Short mmCIF file of all heavy atoms in Angstrom, two decimals:
data_model
loop_
_atom_site.label_atom_id
_atom_site.label_comp_id
_atom_site.label_asym_id
_atom_site.label_seq_id
_atom_site.Cartn_x
_atom_site.Cartn_y
_atom_site.Cartn_z
N MET A 1372 171.53 43.96 203.84
CA MET A 1372 171.88 45.38 203.69
C MET A 1372 170.73 46.25 204.19
O MET A 1372 169.58 45.96 203.93
CB MET A 1372 172.12 45.70 202.20
CG MET A 1372 173.33 45.04 201.60
SD MET A 1372 174.86 45.83 202.08
CE MET A 1372 175.16 46.85 200.64
N ILE A 1373 171.10 47.30 204.86
CA ILE A 1373 170.11 48.25 205.38
C ILE A 1373 170.29 49.56 204.62
O ILE A 1373 171.40 50.09 204.56
CB ILE A 1373 170.35 48.52 206.88
CG1 ILE A 1373 170.37 47.22 207.68
CG2 ILE A 1373 169.33 49.51 207.42
CD1 ILE A 1373 169.04 46.58 207.89
N LYS A 1374 169.19 50.05 204.04
CA LYS A 1374 169.27 51.34 203.35
C LYS A 1374 168.90 52.44 204.34
O LYS A 1374 167.86 52.37 205.00
CB LYS A 1374 168.32 51.36 202.15
CG LYS A 1374 168.51 52.61 201.30
CD LYS A 1374 167.93 52.43 199.91
CE LYS A 1374 166.48 52.78 199.86
NZ LYS A 1374 165.89 52.70 198.53
N ILE A 1375 169.78 53.44 204.44
CA ILE A 1375 169.56 54.55 205.36
C ILE A 1375 169.55 55.84 204.56
O ILE A 1375 170.44 56.07 203.73
CB ILE A 1375 170.65 54.62 206.43
CG1 ILE A 1375 170.75 53.29 207.16
CG2 ILE A 1375 170.38 55.75 207.42
CD1 ILE A 1375 171.96 53.16 208.04
N ASN A 1376 168.54 56.65 204.81
CA ASN A 1376 168.42 57.93 204.11
C ASN A 1376 168.28 59.05 205.12
O ASN A 1376 167.51 58.93 206.07
CB ASN A 1376 167.19 57.88 203.19
CG ASN A 1376 166.94 59.20 202.49
OD1 ASN A 1376 166.42 60.14 203.07
ND2 ASN A 1376 167.34 59.27 201.24
N VAL A 1377 169.03 60.12 204.90
CA VAL A 1377 168.84 61.34 205.69
C VAL A 1377 168.29 62.40 204.73
O VAL A 1377 168.97 62.80 203.78
CB VAL A 1377 170.16 61.84 206.31
CG1 VAL A 1377 169.91 63.15 207.07
CG2 VAL A 1377 170.76 60.80 207.25
N ASP A 1378 167.06 62.81 204.97
CA ASP A 1378 166.44 63.84 204.13
C ASP A 1378 167.16 65.16 204.38
O ASP A 1378 167.05 65.74 205.47
CB ASP A 1378 164.95 63.94 204.47
CG ASP A 1378 164.20 64.87 203.52
OD1 ASP A 1378 164.74 65.95 203.20
OD2 ASP A 1378 163.10 64.51 203.10
N GLN A 1379 167.90 65.59 203.37
CA GLN A 1379 168.74 66.78 203.54
C GLN A 1379 167.91 68.06 203.68
O GLN A 1379 168.38 69.06 204.21
CB GLN A 1379 169.71 66.91 202.35
CG GLN A 1379 170.64 65.71 202.19
CD GLN A 1379 171.62 65.58 203.36
OE1 GLN A 1379 172.50 66.41 203.51
NE2 GLN A 1379 171.45 64.54 204.20
N GLY A 1380 166.67 68.00 203.21
CA GLY A 1380 165.79 69.16 203.37
C GLY A 1380 165.23 69.27 204.77
O GLY A 1380 164.96 70.35 205.27
N LEU A 1381 165.06 68.11 205.43
CA LEU A 1381 164.48 68.10 206.78
C LEU A 1381 165.52 68.22 207.88
O LEU A 1381 165.22 68.72 208.96
CB LEU A 1381 163.69 66.80 207.00
CG LEU A 1381 162.40 66.62 206.20
CD1 LEU A 1381 161.77 65.26 206.51
CD2 LEU A 1381 161.41 67.73 206.51
N CYS A 1382 166.74 67.72 207.65
CA CYS A 1382 167.75 67.67 208.70
C CYS A 1382 168.04 69.07 209.25
O CYS A 1382 168.29 70.01 208.49
CB CYS A 1382 169.04 67.05 208.16
SG CYS A 1382 170.39 67.08 209.36
N LEU A 1383 168.01 69.17 210.57
CA LEU A 1383 168.24 70.46 211.26
C LEU A 1383 169.69 70.62 211.69
O LEU A 1383 170.05 71.65 212.24
CB LEU A 1383 167.37 70.53 212.52
CG LEU A 1383 165.87 70.42 212.34
CD1 LEU A 1383 165.19 70.27 213.69
CD2 LEU A 1383 165.35 71.64 211.62
N GLY A 1384 170.47 69.54 211.53
CA GLY A 1384 171.89 69.61 211.91
C GLY A 1384 172.13 69.60 213.41
O GLY A 1384 173.12 70.15 213.87
N CYS A 1385 171.23 68.94 214.15
CA CYS A 1385 171.37 68.95 215.62
C CYS A 1385 172.50 68.06 216.11
O CYS A 1385 172.98 68.22 217.22
CB CYS A 1385 170.06 68.55 216.27
SG CYS A 1385 169.66 66.81 216.02
N GLY A 1386 172.86 67.06 215.32
CA GLY A 1386 173.96 66.16 215.70
C GLY A 1386 173.55 64.99 216.57
O GLY A 1386 174.39 64.17 216.96
N SER A 1387 172.26 64.85 216.87
CA SER A 1387 171.80 63.77 217.73
C SER A 1387 172.09 62.38 217.13
O SER A 1387 172.50 61.46 217.84
CB SER A 1387 170.30 63.94 217.98
OG SER A 1387 169.74 62.79 218.51
N CYS A 1388 171.91 62.25 215.81
CA CYS A 1388 172.15 60.94 215.18
C CYS A 1388 173.62 60.55 215.27
O CYS A 1388 173.95 59.39 215.52
CB CYS A 1388 171.68 60.95 213.73
SG CYS A 1388 172.37 62.27 212.72
N GLU A 1389 174.51 61.51 215.10
CA GLU A 1389 175.94 61.23 215.21
C GLU A 1389 176.29 60.80 216.63
O GLU A 1389 177.11 59.90 216.84
CB GLU A 1389 176.75 62.45 214.80
CG GLU A 1389 178.25 62.18 214.76
CD GLU A 1389 179.07 63.39 214.33
OE1 GLU A 1389 178.54 64.50 214.29
OE2 GLU A 1389 180.26 63.20 214.06
N ALA A 1390 175.64 61.43 217.61
CA ALA A 1390 175.89 61.06 219.00
C ALA A 1390 175.41 59.64 219.29
O ALA A 1390 176.06 58.88 220.00
CB ALA A 1390 175.21 62.06 219.93
N CYS A 1391 174.27 59.25 218.68
CA CYS A 1391 173.70 57.90 218.88
C CYS A 1391 174.52 56.83 218.17
O CYS A 1391 174.75 55.76 218.71
CB CYS A 1391 172.30 57.82 218.30
SG CYS A 1391 170.98 58.38 219.34
N ALA A 1392 174.88 57.11 216.92
CA ALA A 1392 175.52 56.09 216.08
C ALA A 1392 176.65 56.74 215.28
O ALA A 1392 176.54 56.93 214.07
CB ALA A 1392 174.49 55.46 215.15
N PRO A 1393 177.76 57.07 215.95
CA PRO A 1393 178.85 57.78 215.26
C PRO A 1393 179.53 56.98 214.16
O PRO A 1393 180.16 57.56 213.28
CB PRO A 1393 179.82 58.10 216.40
CG PRO A 1393 179.48 57.16 217.51
CD PRO A 1393 178.04 56.85 217.37
N GLU A 1394 179.35 55.65 214.18
CA GLU A 1394 179.95 54.85 213.12
C GLU A 1394 179.12 54.88 211.84
O GLU A 1394 179.58 54.46 210.78
CB GLU A 1394 180.19 53.40 213.58
CG GLU A 1394 178.97 52.62 213.96
CD GLU A 1394 178.51 52.81 215.40
OE1 GLU A 1394 178.68 53.88 215.99
OE2 GLU A 1394 177.96 51.85 215.93
N VAL A 1395 177.88 55.39 211.94
CA VAL A 1395 176.98 55.43 210.79
C VAL A 1395 176.71 56.86 210.31
O VAL A 1395 176.61 57.10 209.10
CB VAL A 1395 175.64 54.74 211.14
CG1 VAL A 1395 174.63 54.88 210.00
CG2 VAL A 1395 175.87 53.26 211.46
N PHE A 1396 176.60 57.80 211.24
CA PHE A 1396 176.24 59.18 210.87
C PHE A 1396 177.39 60.15 211.17
O PHE A 1396 178.12 59.96 212.14
CB PHE A 1396 175.00 59.65 211.64
CG PHE A 1396 173.77 58.85 211.36
CD1 PHE A 1396 173.33 57.90 212.27
CD2 PHE A 1396 173.05 59.03 210.18
CE1 PHE A 1396 172.19 57.15 212.01
CE2 PHE A 1396 171.92 58.28 209.92
CZ PHE A 1396 171.49 57.33 210.84
N GLU A 1397 177.48 61.17 210.31
CA GLU A 1397 178.45 62.24 210.56
C GLU A 1397 177.82 63.56 210.13
O GLU A 1397 177.23 63.63 209.05
CB GLU A 1397 179.73 61.99 209.78
CG GLU A 1397 180.83 62.99 210.09
CD GLU A 1397 182.12 62.61 209.38
OE1 GLU A 1397 182.76 61.63 209.79
OE2 GLU A 1397 182.47 63.29 208.41
N LEU A 1398 177.96 64.55 210.99
CA LEU A 1398 177.45 65.87 210.63
C LEU A 1398 178.44 66.54 209.70
O LEU A 1398 179.63 66.65 210.02
CB LEU A 1398 177.25 66.69 211.91
CG LEU A 1398 176.36 67.92 211.81
CD1 LEU A 1398 174.97 67.55 211.30
CD2 LEU A 1398 176.25 68.60 213.17
N ASP A 1399 177.94 66.95 208.54
CA ASP A 1399 178.78 67.61 207.54
C ASP A 1399 179.05 69.04 208.02
O ASP A 1399 178.10 69.82 208.22
CB ASP A 1399 178.03 67.61 206.19
CG ASP A 1399 178.90 68.09 205.04
OD1 ASP A 1399 179.77 68.95 205.26
OD2 ASP A 1399 178.67 67.61 203.92
N THR A 1400 180.30 69.37 208.21
CA THR A 1400 180.63 70.70 208.74
C THR A 1400 180.47 71.80 207.69
O THR A 1400 180.52 72.98 208.03
CB THR A 1400 182.07 70.73 209.30
OG1 THR A 1400 182.95 70.26 208.28
CG2 THR A 1400 182.21 69.87 210.54
N LYS A 1401 180.26 71.40 206.42
CA LYS A 1401 180.07 72.43 205.38
C LYS A 1401 178.62 72.89 205.33
O LYS A 1401 178.34 74.08 205.30
CB LYS A 1401 180.47 71.88 204.01
CG LYS A 1401 181.97 71.68 203.88
CD LYS A 1401 182.34 71.39 202.43
CE LYS A 1401 183.60 70.56 202.35
NZ LYS A 1401 183.34 69.15 202.07
N ASP A 1402 177.69 71.94 205.31
CA ASP A 1402 176.28 72.34 205.18
C ASP A 1402 175.47 72.05 206.45
O ASP A 1402 174.27 72.33 206.49
CB ASP A 1402 175.63 71.69 203.95
CG ASP A 1402 175.57 70.16 204.04
OD1 ASP A 1402 175.92 69.60 205.11
OD2 ASP A 1402 175.16 69.54 203.05
N PHE A 1403 176.11 71.49 207.47
CA PHE A 1403 175.45 71.18 208.75
C PHE A 1403 174.22 70.29 208.57
O PHE A 1403 173.19 70.49 209.20
CB PHE A 1403 175.13 72.47 209.53
CG PHE A 1403 176.39 73.16 209.96
CD1 PHE A 1403 176.89 74.22 209.22
CD2 PHE A 1403 177.11 72.70 211.05
CE1 PHE A 1403 178.08 74.84 209.57
CE2 PHE A 1403 178.31 73.31 211.42
CZ PHE A 1403 178.79 74.38 210.68
N LYS A 1404 174.37 69.31 207.67
CA LYS A 1404 173.36 68.28 207.48
C LYS A 1404 174.05 66.94 207.76
O LYS A 1404 175.21 66.75 207.37
CB LYS A 1404 172.83 68.25 206.03
CG LYS A 1404 172.31 69.59 205.52
CD LYS A 1404 170.98 69.93 206.10
CE LYS A 1404 170.44 71.24 205.51
NZ LYS A 1404 169.19 71.63 206.14
N ALA A 1405 173.32 66.03 208.39
CA ALA A 1405 173.90 64.73 208.69
C ALA A 1405 174.03 63.90 207.42
O ALA A 1405 173.17 63.96 206.54
CB ALA A 1405 173.04 63.99 209.70
N LYS A 1406 175.12 63.14 207.34
CA LYS A 1406 175.34 62.24 206.22
C LYS A 1406 175.56 60.82 206.75
O LYS A 1406 175.94 60.63 207.91
CB LYS A 1406 176.59 62.65 205.43
CG LYS A 1406 176.57 64.08 204.88
CD LYS A 1406 175.56 64.26 203.77
CE LYS A 1406 175.64 65.61 203.09
NZ LYS A 1406 175.34 66.76 203.96
N VAL A 1407 175.33 59.86 205.84
CA VAL A 1407 175.59 58.46 206.15
C VAL A 1407 177.02 58.15 205.73
O VAL A 1407 177.44 58.52 204.63
CB VAL A 1407 174.60 57.53 205.40
CG1 VAL A 1407 174.83 56.08 205.78
CG2 VAL A 1407 173.16 57.94 205.69
N LYS A 1408 177.75 57.50 206.62
CA LYS A 1408 179.15 57.18 206.34
C LYS A 1408 179.24 55.83 205.62
O LYS A 1408 178.71 54.83 206.11
CB LYS A 1408 179.94 57.09 207.64
CG LYS A 1408 180.01 58.41 208.38
CD LYS A 1408 180.47 58.25 209.81
CE LYS A 1408 181.95 57.96 209.91
NZ LYS A 1408 182.40 58.08 211.35
N LYS A 1409 179.89 55.84 204.47
CA LYS A 1409 180.13 54.58 203.76
C LYS A 1409 181.58 54.62 203.29
O LYS A 1409 181.89 55.33 202.31
CB LYS A 1409 179.16 54.44 202.59
CG LYS A 1409 179.30 53.09 201.90
CD LYS A 1409 178.19 52.82 200.93
CE LYS A 1409 178.29 51.39 200.41
NZ LYS A 1409 177.19 51.01 199.56
N GLY A 1410 182.46 53.93 203.96
CA GLY A 1410 183.88 54.04 203.65
C GLY A 1410 184.31 55.48 203.82
O GLY A 1410 184.01 56.12 204.83
N ASN A 1411 184.96 56.02 202.79
CA ASN A 1411 185.39 57.42 202.84
C ASN A 1411 184.32 58.38 202.34
O ASN A 1411 184.52 59.59 202.36
CB ASN A 1411 186.66 57.61 201.99
CG ASN A 1411 187.84 56.94 202.62
OD1 ASN A 1411 187.91 56.82 203.84
ND2 ASN A 1411 188.77 56.47 201.79
N GLU A 1412 183.20 57.82 201.89
CA GLU A 1412 182.14 58.68 201.35
C GLU A 1412 181.18 59.11 202.44
O GLU A 1412 180.96 58.41 203.42
CB GLU A 1412 181.36 57.92 200.27
CG GLU A 1412 182.16 57.61 199.03
CD GLU A 1412 181.30 56.97 197.97
OE1 GLU A 1412 180.94 55.80 198.14
OE2 GLU A 1412 180.98 57.65 196.98
N ARG A 1413 180.59 60.28 202.24
CA ARG A 1413 179.57 60.81 203.14
C ARG A 1413 178.36 61.14 202.27
O ARG A 1413 178.41 62.06 201.45
CB ARG A 1413 180.07 62.07 203.86
CG ARG A 1413 181.35 61.83 204.68
CD ARG A 1413 181.06 60.93 205.87
NE ARG A 1413 182.26 60.66 206.67
CZ ARG A 1413 183.02 59.56 206.55
NH1 ARG A 1413 182.75 58.64 205.64
NH2 ARG A 1413 184.06 59.39 207.35
N LEU A 1414 177.28 60.37 202.45
CA LEU A 1414 176.18 60.38 201.49
C LEU A 1414 174.84 60.66 202.17
O LEU A 1414 174.66 60.33 203.35
CB LEU A 1414 176.09 59.00 200.81
CG LEU A 1414 177.38 58.52 200.14
CD1 LEU A 1414 177.32 57.02 199.89
CD2 LEU A 1414 177.60 59.27 198.83
N ALA A 1415 173.91 61.22 201.41
CA ALA A 1415 172.56 61.42 201.93
C ALA A 1415 171.85 60.07 202.09
O ALA A 1415 171.02 59.89 202.98
CB ALA A 1415 171.76 62.32 201.01
N GLU A 1416 172.22 59.11 201.24
CA GLU A 1416 171.60 57.78 201.30
C GLU A 1416 172.65 56.73 200.97
O GLU A 1416 173.45 56.92 200.05
CB GLU A 1416 170.46 57.69 200.30
CG GLU A 1416 169.75 56.34 200.33
CD GLU A 1416 168.54 56.32 199.41
OE1 GLU A 1416 167.52 56.91 199.80
OE2 GLU A 1416 168.63 55.74 198.33
N ALA A 1417 172.64 55.65 201.75
CA ALA A 1417 173.58 54.57 201.47
C ALA A 1417 173.02 53.26 202.00
O ALA A 1417 172.21 53.25 202.94
CB ALA A 1417 174.93 54.86 202.13
N SER A 1418 173.44 52.16 201.37
CA SER A 1418 173.11 50.83 201.86
C SER A 1418 174.34 50.27 202.56
O SER A 1418 175.44 50.28 202.00
CB SER A 1418 172.71 49.91 200.71
OG SER A 1418 171.50 50.37 200.15
N LEU A 1419 174.14 49.81 203.79
CA LEU A 1419 175.27 49.38 204.62
C LEU A 1419 175.01 47.99 205.21
O LEU A 1419 173.87 47.63 205.48
CB LEU A 1419 175.46 50.35 205.80
CG LEU A 1419 175.67 51.83 205.49
CD1 LEU A 1419 175.71 52.61 206.79
CD2 LEU A 1419 176.93 52.05 204.70
N GLU A 1420 176.10 47.26 205.42
CA GLU A 1420 176.03 46.02 206.20
C GLU A 1420 176.23 46.42 207.65
O GLU A 1420 177.28 46.96 208.01
CB GLU A 1420 177.18 45.08 205.80
CG GLU A 1420 177.09 44.50 204.41
CD GLU A 1420 176.09 43.35 204.31
OE1 GLU A 1420 175.46 43.00 205.32
OE2 GLU A 1420 175.93 42.85 203.19
N LEU A 1421 175.23 46.18 208.49
CA LEU A 1421 175.32 46.60 209.89
C LEU A 1421 175.12 45.42 210.81
O LEU A 1421 174.36 44.49 210.50
CB LEU A 1421 174.25 47.65 210.19
CG LEU A 1421 174.33 48.98 209.42
CD1 LEU A 1421 173.14 49.85 209.79
CD2 LEU A 1421 175.63 49.70 209.70
N SER A 1422 175.77 45.46 211.95
CA SER A 1422 175.56 44.43 212.97
C SER A 1422 174.22 44.71 213.66
O SER A 1422 173.71 45.84 213.59
CB SER A 1422 176.69 44.51 214.01
OG SER A 1422 176.58 45.71 214.74
N PRO A 1423 173.66 43.70 214.34
CA PRO A 1423 172.40 43.93 215.07
C PRO A 1423 172.54 45.09 216.06
O PRO A 1423 171.60 45.88 216.23
CB PRO A 1423 172.18 42.60 215.80
CG PRO A 1423 172.86 41.58 214.94
CD PRO A 1423 174.07 42.29 214.38
N GLU A 1424 173.69 45.22 216.67
CA GLU A 1424 173.92 46.31 217.63
C GLU A 1424 173.87 47.67 216.92
O GLU A 1424 173.27 48.64 217.42
CB GLU A 1424 175.29 46.10 218.28
CG GLU A 1424 175.58 47.04 219.43
CD GLU A 1424 176.98 46.78 219.99
OE1 GLU A 1424 177.31 45.61 220.27
OE2 GLU A 1424 177.74 47.74 220.10
N GLN A 1425 174.50 47.73 215.75
CA GLN A 1425 174.49 48.99 214.98
C GLN A 1425 173.07 49.33 214.50
O GLN A 1425 172.68 50.49 214.50
CB GLN A 1425 175.44 48.89 213.78
CG GLN A 1425 176.90 48.94 214.18
CD GLN A 1425 177.80 48.65 212.99
OE1 GLN A 1425 177.53 47.77 212.17
NE2 GLN A 1425 178.89 49.38 212.91
N ILE A 1426 172.32 48.29 214.11
CA ILE A 1426 170.94 48.52 213.67
C ILE A 1426 170.12 49.13 214.80
O ILE A 1426 169.34 50.06 214.59
CB ILE A 1426 170.30 47.21 213.15
CG1 ILE A 1426 170.98 46.80 211.84
CG2 ILE A 1426 168.81 47.38 212.93
CD1 ILE A 1426 170.62 45.42 211.35
N GLU A 1427 170.32 48.62 216.01
CA GLU A 1427 169.60 49.19 217.16
C GLU A 1427 169.97 50.65 217.36
O GLU A 1427 169.11 51.48 217.67
CB GLU A 1427 169.92 48.38 218.45
CG GLU A 1427 169.21 47.06 218.52
CD GLU A 1427 167.70 47.16 218.24
OE1 GLU A 1427 167.04 47.98 218.90
OE2 GLU A 1427 167.21 46.44 217.36
N LYS A 1428 171.25 50.98 217.19
CA LYS A 1428 171.68 52.37 217.36
C LYS A 1428 171.06 53.27 216.29
O LYS A 1428 170.67 54.41 216.56
CB LYS A 1428 173.20 52.47 217.30
CG LYS A 1428 173.91 51.94 218.52
CD LYS A 1428 175.38 52.21 218.38
CE LYS A 1428 176.19 51.56 219.47
NZ LYS A 1428 177.62 51.72 219.24
N VAL A 1429 170.98 52.75 215.06
CA VAL A 1429 170.38 53.55 213.98
C VAL A 1429 168.89 53.74 214.24
O VAL A 1429 168.34 54.83 214.02
CB VAL A 1429 170.63 52.90 212.60
CG1 VAL A 1429 169.86 53.63 211.50
CG2 VAL A 1429 172.12 52.90 212.27
N LYS A 1430 168.23 52.68 214.75
CA LYS A 1430 166.80 52.81 215.10
C LYS A 1430 166.61 53.87 216.18
O LYS A 1430 165.66 54.65 216.14
CB LYS A 1430 166.25 51.46 215.62
CG LYS A 1430 165.89 50.50 214.52
CD LYS A 1430 165.23 49.28 215.14
CE LYS A 1430 165.06 48.19 214.11
NZ LYS A 1430 164.78 46.89 214.73
N GLU A 1431 167.53 53.88 217.13
CA GLU A 1431 167.47 54.88 218.21
C GLU A 1431 167.64 56.29 217.61
O GLU A 1431 166.91 57.22 217.95
CB GLU A 1431 168.57 54.59 219.22
CG GLU A 1431 168.48 55.41 220.48
CD GLU A 1431 169.64 55.14 221.43
OE1 GLU A 1431 170.26 54.06 221.33
OE2 GLU A 1431 169.94 56.03 222.23
N ALA A 1432 168.62 56.42 216.71
CA ALA A 1432 168.86 57.71 216.06
C ALA A 1432 167.63 58.15 215.27
O ALA A 1432 167.23 59.32 215.31
CB ALA A 1432 170.08 57.61 215.14
N GLU A 1433 167.01 57.19 214.57
CA GLU A 1433 165.81 57.48 213.78
C GLU A 1433 164.68 57.98 214.71
O GLU A 1433 164.03 58.98 214.43
CB GLU A 1433 165.37 56.20 213.05
CG GLU A 1433 164.16 56.36 212.16
CD GLU A 1433 163.74 55.01 211.56
OE1 GLU A 1433 164.01 53.95 212.16
OE2 GLU A 1433 163.14 55.02 210.48
N GLY A 1434 164.51 57.28 215.83
CA GLY A 1434 163.45 57.65 216.78
C GLY A 1434 163.71 58.99 217.45
O GLY A 1434 162.76 59.71 217.79
N ASN A 1435 164.98 59.32 217.66
CA ASN A 1435 165.32 60.56 218.38
C ASN A 1435 165.43 61.78 217.47
O ASN A 1435 165.51 62.90 217.97
CB ASN A 1435 166.66 60.40 219.11
CG ASN A 1435 166.54 59.47 220.29
OD1 ASN A 1435 165.44 59.21 220.77
ND2 ASN A 1435 167.67 58.96 220.77
N CYS A 1436 165.47 61.56 216.16
CA CYS A 1436 165.66 62.70 215.25
C CYS A 1436 164.47 63.67 215.41
O CYS A 1436 163.33 63.28 215.21
CB CYS A 1436 165.75 62.21 213.80
SG CYS A 1436 165.83 63.59 212.63
N PRO A 1437 164.76 64.91 215.77
CA PRO A 1437 163.66 65.85 216.06
C PRO A 1437 162.82 66.21 214.83
O PRO A 1437 161.69 66.67 214.98
CB PRO A 1437 164.38 67.09 216.60
CG PRO A 1437 165.77 66.99 216.06
CD PRO A 1437 166.08 65.52 215.95
N ASP A 1438 163.36 66.01 213.65
CA ASP A 1438 162.58 66.37 212.47
C ASP A 1438 162.27 65.16 211.60
O ASP A 1438 161.86 65.33 210.45
CB ASP A 1438 163.30 67.44 211.66
CG ASP A 1438 162.34 68.51 211.15
OD1 ASP A 1438 161.21 68.57 211.70
OD2 ASP A 1438 162.67 69.23 210.21
N LYS A 1439 162.43 63.96 212.17
CA LYS A 1439 162.10 62.71 211.44
C LYS A 1439 162.73 62.69 210.05
O LYS A 1439 162.10 62.36 209.05
CB LYS A 1439 160.56 62.54 211.31
CG LYS A 1439 159.85 62.58 212.66
CD LYS A 1439 160.18 61.35 213.48
CE LYS A 1439 159.62 61.41 214.89
NZ LYS A 1439 160.59 61.18 215.94
N ALA A 1440 164.00 63.07 210.01
CA ALA A 1440 164.72 63.15 208.73
C ALA A 1440 165.35 61.82 208.34
O ALA A 1440 165.81 61.67 207.21
CB ALA A 1440 165.79 64.23 208.81
N ILE A 1441 165.41 60.86 209.28
CA ILE A 1441 166.10 59.59 209.02
C ILE A 1441 165.09 58.50 208.70
O ILE A 1441 164.10 58.34 209.41
CB ILE A 1441 166.93 59.17 210.25
CG1 ILE A 1441 167.97 60.23 210.56
CG2 ILE A 1441 167.58 57.81 210.01
CD1 ILE A 1441 168.67 60.00 211.90
N LYS A 1442 165.37 57.80 207.61
CA LYS A 1442 164.54 56.64 207.25
C LYS A 1442 165.47 55.45 207.04
O LYS A 1442 166.53 55.59 206.43
CB LYS A 1442 163.79 56.89 205.94
CG LYS A 1442 162.80 58.05 205.99
CD LYS A 1442 161.47 57.62 206.56
CE LYS A 1442 160.46 58.76 206.63
NZ LYS A 1442 160.81 59.82 207.55
N MET A 1443 165.06 54.28 207.52
CA MET A 1443 165.84 53.08 207.24
C MET A 1443 164.90 51.97 206.79
O MET A 1443 163.75 51.92 207.19
CB MET A 1443 166.67 52.65 208.45
CG MET A 1443 165.89 52.21 209.65
SD MET A 1443 166.96 51.86 211.05
CE MET A 1443 167.78 50.36 210.55
N GLU A 1444 165.41 51.14 205.90
CA GLU A 1444 164.59 50.02 205.43
C GLU A 1444 165.49 48.84 205.08
O GLU A 1444 166.69 48.99 204.89
CB GLU A 1444 163.75 50.42 204.21
CG GLU A 1444 164.52 51.03 203.08
CD GLU A 1444 163.61 51.58 201.98
OE1 GLU A 1444 162.95 52.60 202.19
OE2 GLU A 1444 163.59 50.96 200.92
FE1 SF4 B 2746 169.70 65.89 211.21
FE2 SF4 B 2746 167.98 64.35 212.50
FE3 SF4 B 2746 170.61 63.83 212.59
FE4 SF4 B 2746 169.60 65.94 213.88
S1 SF4 B 2746 169.18 63.77 214.34
S2 SF4 B 2746 171.47 65.89 212.60
S3 SF4 B 2746 167.98 66.58 212.46
S4 SF4 B 2746 169.28 63.73 210.77
#
C-alpha cells in the first residue's frame, strides 16, 4: 500500500497532478484543491494499492507539483 497525502494548505489547484495521474488525483471543483481518489471517496490522504506504472505517475506528479504539496510513502 502506498500512502499519498495532498497538503490542502499548500495545494494551489493547478491541476498538474490530475493531468499526470488522473486515476489517482482529482481536482475538487468546490475548493480547487487536489484530492486522492479512493473508490467513490475524494480524500486529502489515502492508502492505495497501485501498480508500478501508477506509482511512477504519482512520483512524476509529486515531482511536478509547483508547491510540493504531494507526499507519498
Ligand atoms: Fe495541487 Fe500540486 Fe496537484 Fe497542483 S500539482 S493541484 S498544487 S497538489
